[in-house]
Structure formats: structure tokens, C-alpha cells
């Protein structure tokens, strides 16, 4: 059934994160909720700022690599206008390491996964933080344990305790590192989940899949809200040099 709801997924970068598989998984999640999805294997589509403005959701699955500043700018303006932005693991928050606007918009940047892959840890749900986590209990994961530098403005939905594996960071006190969060960029909703080192994480640990699916939809629904309430970006605009 045609709903008019549209999502754009672009995938690529480091193959170790299985971007094509993750992109297809996210396509399936969104199609279950009536979104028509485009999956692009290059970044060229990001040159079309008008097209991005017409999307309900943009999903990056692109670990590391580089992005043209004008592409980041097009995404930034589309999200500020109400389009959602959502992604997981390195596909969103270890993308484009030299692009600080990308990091500002997404809310965090990966810096390490102490111990590598195969670390057993617990994801602790912050109950009451968002409808996204309603009914989800704390759950176990065996995967990479992501340590990130995180925007203090984010709303943390789930976290995990560090350290689990000793490394130089373990000389400090124990900390609760965000695993999933939401934030706003202008009128747009942003969702991130650090799980998803491999595509099958979302099957092996069903709570991770449910968290991701709900986050994608939450971010996408912000566009309709912005349009319904006549929200504009006027109060956010500035001619000052930002980056």
C-alpha cells in the first residue's frame, strides 16, 4: 500500500561491518511500517539536497571513509527541516572521522572497543526514557563493546558499564557508556544504537533488533510532526562560521 512515507539508505565504507546486509535489514524493518525505501551503494544521491528534503528518514550505513562537505551540509539541512536520521554501530558513529559537523549532528564518535569482538556485556535499559524502550528489559550481548565520545545533550535510552576488559582506560572509575540515544538537530529527530558490529547481532539478540526498529521509526515520524505543526528552521539559522 502506498503511504507516501520515504526513507533513503546509503551503504558502503569498510566491508567488515557488512553494510549491504545491514542496509537490507533496515529496509525490511522500515517496509514493515509502510516506508518506501531507496538503498544507494554510493554517496552521489547526497548531492541532491531537494531530494533529501523530501525524505522522512535518512539512514547511513557507511563506516569510516570520507564525505564531501556539501553532502554533509545537504543532510544537515534536511534533518534540521524535519527529516529523521538514524543508524547503528560504526555505520553512523564511526563514519567520516574527519567531519566534525557529522559528529555534532549524530551525537557521538567511536574511539575504541576494548578487547575486540566477542566481549560479553549487558545492555542496561533506562526505563521510562522513551517509548522506544518500553517493555524491553536489560539484555546480554556478545559483540564489540563500543566506547564513544558522546554529546552531553543526548537522551540516553540504554547504557553499558565499562570497564569489562582491562586496558589503559580501566585506570579510571567505572562509567556507564551510552548504547542507544536520541537527540534533535533542528526540527529533526536523531537515533543511534551502538550495537550491530555484524548484521546477525540483530537476530542473535532480539532486543537489539526491536530497539533498532523502533528507533528507525521514531526518527522517521518526526517529519510528519514537523509538517503538521508548521515548524521551520528560522530560529536555528546563523551566518556565523561554524566549522
Amino acid at each position: 500500500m502506498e503511504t507516501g512515507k520515504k526513507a533513503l539508505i546509503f551503504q558502503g565504507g569498510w566491508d567488515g561491518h557488512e553494510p549491504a546486509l545491514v542496509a537490507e535489514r533496515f529496509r525490511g524493518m522500515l517496509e514493515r511500517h509502510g516506508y518506501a525505501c531507496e538503498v544507494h551503494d554510493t554517496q552521489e544521491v547526497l548531492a541532491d539536497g531537494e531530494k533529501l528534503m523530501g525524505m522522512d528518514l535518512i539512514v547511513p550505513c557507511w563506516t569510516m571513509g570520507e564525505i564531501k562537505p556539501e553532502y554533509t551540509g545537504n543532510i544537515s539541512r534536511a534533518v534540521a527541516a524535519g527529516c529523521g536520521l538514524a543508524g547503528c554501530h560504526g555505520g553512523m558513529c564511526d563514519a567520516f572521522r574527519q567531519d566534525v559537523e557529522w559528529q555534532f549532528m549524530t551525537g557521538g564518535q567511536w574511539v575504541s572497543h576494548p578487547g575486540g569482538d566477542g566481549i560479553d556485556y549487558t545492555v542496561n535499559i533506562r526505563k521510562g526514557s522513551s517509548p522506544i524502550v518500553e517493555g524491553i528489559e536489560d539484555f546480554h550481548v556478545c559483540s564489540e563493546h563500543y566506547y564513544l565520545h558522546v554529546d552531553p545533550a543526548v537522551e540516553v535510552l540504554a547504557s553499558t558499564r565499562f570497564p569489562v576488559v582491562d586496558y589503559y582506560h580501566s585506570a579510571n572509575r567505572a562509567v556507564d557508556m551510552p548504547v542507544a540515544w536520541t537527540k534533535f538537530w533542528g526540527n529533526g529527530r536523531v537515533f543511534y544504537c551502538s550495537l550491530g558490529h555484524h548484521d546477525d547481532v540483530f537476530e542473535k539478540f532480539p532486543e537489539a533488533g526491536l530497539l533498532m526498529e523502533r528507533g528507525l521509526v521514531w526518527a522517521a515520524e518526526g517529519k510528519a510532526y514537523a509538517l503538521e505543526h508548521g515548524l521551520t528552521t528560522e530560529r536555528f539559522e546563523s551566518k556565523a562560521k561554524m566549522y
Side-chain angles (χ1 to χ4, degrees):
M1 180 178 66
E2 179 62 44
T3 64
K5 301 188 295 186
K6 297 184 290 185
L8 186 151
I9 303 170
F10 65 98
Q11 68 87 14
W14 185 58
D15 286 337
H17 280 159
E18 303 177 338
L21 291 176
V22 173
E24 284 304 311
R25 181 175 297 276
F26 289 173
R27 182 212 289 264
M29 289 178 175
L30 287 162
E31 287 180 344
R32 285 198 288 273
H33 295 270
Y35 288 85
C37 297
E38 300 180 12
V39 178
H40 294 263
D41 300 333
T42 73
Q43 295 179 20
E44 277 71 17
V45 66
L46 305 179
D48 190 343
E50 185 175 349
K51 180 182 181 69
L52 299 186
M53 283 286 186
M55 292 291 159
D56 293 273
L57 181 67
I58 298 169
V59 183
C61 296
W62 199 292
T63 302
M64 296 183 282
E66 296 182 358
I67 188 171
K68 294 180 179 180
E70 55 265 38
Y71 292 179
T72 304
N74 286 343
I75 295 174
S76 177
R77 286 185 288 274
V79 176
C83 176
L85 180 69
C88 78
H89 201 64
M92 183 159 126
C93 283
D94 188 21
F96 321 131
R97 293 178 181 177
Q98 293 181 319
D99 193 315
V100 292
E101 184 172 13
W102 183 264
Q103 294 171 24
F104 197 11
M105 178 169 53
T106 58
Q109 172 61 44
W110 169 87
V111 293
S112 185
H113 40 67
D117 197 6
I119 303 300
D120 289 300
Y121 62 96
T122 300
V123 174
N124 300 114
I125 299 297
R126 186 164 292 184
K127 294 185 178 180
S129 58
S130 168
I132 294 170
V133 298
E134 185 175 352
I136 302 178
E137 300 294 329
D138 296 351
F139 60 97
H140 160 265
V141 173
C142 181
S143 186
E144 288 184 338
H145 198 206
Y146 253 29
Y147 202 102
L148 303 114
H149 287 172
V150 179
D151 181 348
V154 303
E155 181 69 36
V156 178
L157 311 189
S159 63
T160 185
R161 179 57 62 96
F162 275 86
V164 171
V165 175
D166 284 334
Y167 188 57
Y168 299 132
H169 71 300
S170 58
N172 302 294
R173 64 178 175 83
V175 296
D176 292 312
M177 178 62 57
V179 169
W181 66 70
T182 57
K183 65 172 290 188
F184 290 89
W185 186 255
N187 299 314
R189 298 178 179 183
V190 179
F191 171 81
Y192 174 72
C193 177
S194 70
L195 306 175
H197 175 54
H198 291 135
D199 172 67
D200 64 3
V201 165
F202 297 111
E203 289 183 7
K204 291 179 177 177
F205 310 101
E207 297 93 341
L210 180 58
L211 183 63
M212 194 68 225
E213 184 168 338
R214 288 180 176 179
L216 290 166
V217 173
W218 176 85
E221 289 176 342
K223 179 65 171 292
Y225 181 91
L227 291 173
E228 181 181 348
H229 291 82
L231 301 182
T232 73
T233 61
E234 183 178 1
R235 70 186 180 98
F236 302 115
E237 300 298 337
S238 172
K239 295 186 183 301
K241 181 175 174 58
M242 300 294 182
Y243 308 101

